[in-house]
Amino acid sequence: MLVLLPPSEGKAAPGRGAPLKPESLSLQGLAAARAAVLDELVELCRADEEKARGVLGLTEGLRGEVGKNAELCTAPTRPAGEIYTGVLYDALDLATLDAAARRRAAASLLIFSGLWGAVRVGDRIPSYRCSMGVRLPGVGSLAAHWRAAMEAVLPETAGDGLVLDLRSSAYASAWKPKGELAGRTASVRVLQSQWVGGVEKRSVVSHFNKATKGRMVRDLLGAGTAPTDPERLVEALRDLGYVVEAQAPARAGRPWSLDVVVTEIH
């Protein structure tokens, strides 16, 4: 099973650690595309702070992120699973998984990134600021920049197993499984169900959407569940107590759509 996760805007301070070694990152087929983004981002942030802040869409209060980006090549690093913080990662809480579940996380979780393309939780990276929605002056749209490289690398990474896609739309635009692989892909959204005047209303609540996805991945890792296709994923999630509604693709080459329905926000 390959689980596709979004990153988080919030990131932990690396503290002490060795500087970035691009050759040590997973998915080396993305190396050239990574270098192009990294080199331009560092150069931009070193040369013109105001321009960089505009390109990156940073508020005045986030001005310090430009300086952080300028030092990416020498900044300390730590595992990506520790760098990314925020609601989903708090709920996933990788640090408190048992040893077997952490091994499964290292093998199955893939975090998408505007800067790195995609990394595994054990890859050592510095803290940075560069979302997938950014358009660099040279590289252009990051989502478009990553598509060709991702298409060349990720189908092999996915192998012949299930792909569980939990990415937000911005990161999903960088790579979409195609053909037979799409039929083994399940895209998940979380809906809150409320009854008002005897009528059920469902809505997406961003905070709870992220938290539920984090808990769901944690539960799958902890249970040692490795479903091989979307139908078995639905069974596994229901066994774990989730209310899941599944819709098979209307035609070949499309992913399954899964709604996880919740009634409480926490």
Side-chain angles (χ1 to χ4, degrees):
M1 178 173 66
L2 185 67
V3 182
L4 311 181
L5 297 174
S8 61
E9 288 192 2
K11 297 175 183 70
R16 295 181 179 180
L20 175 69
K21 294 181 179 179
E23 69 278 8
S24 72
L25 299 179
S26 302
L27 309 180
Q28 277 296 296
L30 301 178
R34 284 175 179 148
V37 179
L38 178 62
D39 290 349
E40 184 175 356
L41 181 63
V42 170
E43 182 179 353
L44 171 67
C45 291
R46 286 178 177 173
D48 190 330
E49 182 177 280
E50 283 304 313
K51 181 178 180 180
R53 193 162 69 87
V55 168
L56 297 173
L58 300 177
T59 64
E60 176 64 31
L62 293 173
R63 180 180 292 272
E65 299 294 301
V66 176
K68 183 188 297 183
N69 283 348
E71 305 301 324
L72 284 173
C73 295
T74 56
T77 62
R78 62 196 294 184
E82 298 176 12
I83 285 286
Y84 293 108
T85 60
V87 177
L88 188 153
Y89 292 91
D90 285 347
L92 176 54
D93 200 5
L94 288 168
T96 61
L97 291 172
D98 63 34
R102 287 198 299 272
R103 287 193 295 271
R104 288 190 282 271
S108 63
L109 304 188
L110 204 59
I111 305 171
F112 274 61
S113 162
L115 174 54
W116 314 112
V119 292
R120 296 196 183 275
V121 294
D123 288 336
R124 298 189 67 93
I125 59 174
S127 180
Y128 68 95
R129 190 72 174 226
C130 186
S131 70
M132 191 63 80
V134 164
R135 178 182 292 273
L136 292 174
V139 167
S141 163
L142 292 184
H145 171 76
W146 285 113
R147 283 183 198 126
M150 294 281 193
E151 186 57 41
V153 171
L154 291 191
E156 182 179 355
T157 303
D160 59 1
L162 168 73
V163 176
L164 174 54
D165 191 353
L166 303 178
R167 298 172 295 168
S168 57
S169 58
Y171 291 90
S173 67
W175 179 65
K176 295 181 180 180
K178 299 177 181 177
E180 184 270 338
L181 178 56
R184 292 187 275 113
T185 299
S187 179
V188 176
R189 66 177 180 172
V190 179
L191 298 177
Q192 181 198 8
S193 172
Q194 292 179 306
W195 288 88
V196 180
V199 177
E200 184 187 26
K201 294 185 177 181
R202 293 182 175 183
S203 59
V204 176
V205 181
S206 178
H207 181 284
F208 193 51
N209 173 58
K210 295 174 183 177
T212 300
K213 287 179 177 178
R215 285 193 292 270
M216 185 171 65
V217 174
R218 179 182 177 85
D219 288 345
L220 288 168
L221 293 171
T225 303
T228 55
D229 57 50
E231 290 175 292
R232 289 178 174 82
L233 172 64
V234 172
E235 294 174 2
L237 290 173
R238 287 173 177 166
D239 288 344
L240 289 168
Y242 291 90
V243 177
V244 183
E245 297 176 356
Q247 182 176 346
R251 60 179 184 270
R254 295 292 182 90
W256 283 62
S257 297
L258 271 58
D259 286 342
V260 175
V261 183
V262 298
T263 56
E264 297 179 358
I265 295 181
H266 57 87

